[in-house]
Amino acid sequence: MDAAATIANALGVVLARGFRSGLYGSVTLGVAPGLTEANYPILSSLARSGEPLSAASLAPDLGLDRSVVSRRASELIQAGLVAQQPSPRDRRQALLTLTPRGRTAIDEARRRLETVIAEHTSTWSEADRAALATLLSRFTATPLAATETEDSTHEGVG
């Protein structure tokens, strides 16, 4: 198997719903009421962005339909982890932003995620861990060609 096929297979495992559910389930369990493996990617994307975003803006990056993002964001709003405000440019559009509780929750979930990754790679050499970090960062630095449609309903990663 050539390198591209090996990478594709490995990414398929990482992107598979079962893998993500297990990972997100373990890092979100008990972090904050209302934070689930399903809505974790929304909270994580908002944290990565650092700025308020609409459900429509989040949807393509998460690989989810806007209506799915809106439903999951509503769960986070009800839990007090995300706030919603009208856009200053278009009052009809709602922008989502982390609340202080949301920031605390995502910081804890990410700390747990880092711990899981550190444990999973604990038998690797430091050079191998550093190489994976460098190469994954380089791979994700350039977006792949957009191939998703607006009505895509597969689960996104966070």
Side-chain angles (χ1 to χ4, degrees):
M1 188 179 306
D2 71 354
T6 301
I7 292 167
N9 284 334
L11 284 175
V13 171
V14 170
L15 297 173
R17 183 180 181 138
F19 186 92
R20 285 191 328 273
S21 291
L23 181 61
Y24 293 166
S26 69
V27 301
T28 60
L29 185 64
V31 169
L35 180 59
T36 66
E37 65 189 53
N39 60 31
Y40 168 80
I42 294 168
L43 203 67
S44 182
S45 290
L46 287 171
R48 248 191 326 276
S49 156
E51 60 185 52
L53 295 172
S54 67
S57 297
L58 286 166
D61 287 339
L62 295 173
L64 296 170
D65 184 76
R66 185 185 67 200
S67 64
V68 174
V69 173
S70 292
R71 277 194 306 277
R72 292 185 183 167
S74 291
E75 296 168 2
L76 293 166
I77 291 166
Q78 288 178 335
L81 302 173
V82 168
Q84 182 174 295
Q85 61 197 32
S87 169
R89 287 181 236 141
D90 182 352
R91 308 291 282 166
R92 297 169 296 173
Q93 186 179 48
L95 297 179
L96 305 169
T97 187
L98 293 178
T99 64
R101 283 181 52 202
R103 170 52 61 193
T104 299
I106 196 62
D107 288 348
E108 174 61 17
R110 285 184 172 171
R111 185 193 62 73
R112 289 180 178 192
L113 180 59
E114 290 170 14
T115 299
V116 167
I117 291 168
E119 289 171 357
H120 194 72
T121 60
S122 66
T123 60
W124 297 17
S125 70
E126 185 57 38
D128 283 349
R129 286 192 300 271
L132 178 63
T134 298
L135 294 172
L136 271 177
S137 295
R138 193 162 101 200
F139 184 77
T140 60
T142 304
L144 298 173
T147 58
E148 298 301 318
T149 61
E150 269 189 44
D151 62 350
S152 176
T153 57
H154 68 277
E155 297 295 312
V157 294

